[in-house]
Amino acid sequence: MRTCAGEPFSPAIYPDYGDGISEATRIALTLALDNADRGGQVVCFNDRVSSIRFDPATAPTVFELGHFKLRAI
């Protein structure tokens, strides 16, 4: 787990499969960062997603998000 501004940095996404956002659908992101703090992760969704919520940390924190991309593979 990385820290950002002293707080735990545990990013997660919450896919909405049409029933709204729920802790039951939370997907923890375990980013493997390189020396330039760039990372990536493959995520498998169970169904068609209508929206996605991104939570960068488990507590209020300051963070910076550079390039962010979602793509189907």
Side-chain angles (χ1 to χ4, degrees):
M1 178 186 320
R2 295 176 59 94
T3 60
C4 183
E7 295 295 333
F9 183 65
S10 301
I13 57 174
Y14 295 80
D16 180 352
Y17 297 112
D19 297 326
I21 299 296
S22 166
E23 280 293 324
T25 62
R26 180 182 188 274
I27 300 172
L29 300 177
T30 54
L31 301 176
L33 299 176
D34 64 15
N35 290 337
D37 280 342
R38 294 178 302 199
Q41 181 165 354
V42 175
V43 175
C44 180
F45 296 112
N46 296 331
D47 204 346
R48 183 177 224 67
V49 175
S50 61
S51 66
I52 298 172
R53 184 179 95 192
F54 171 66
D55 283 5
T58 56
T61 191
V62 176
F63 77 101
E64 179 178 341
L65 181 63
H67 182 74
F68 185 85
K69 178 170 48 172
L70 294 173
R71 66 181 169 142
I73 54 173

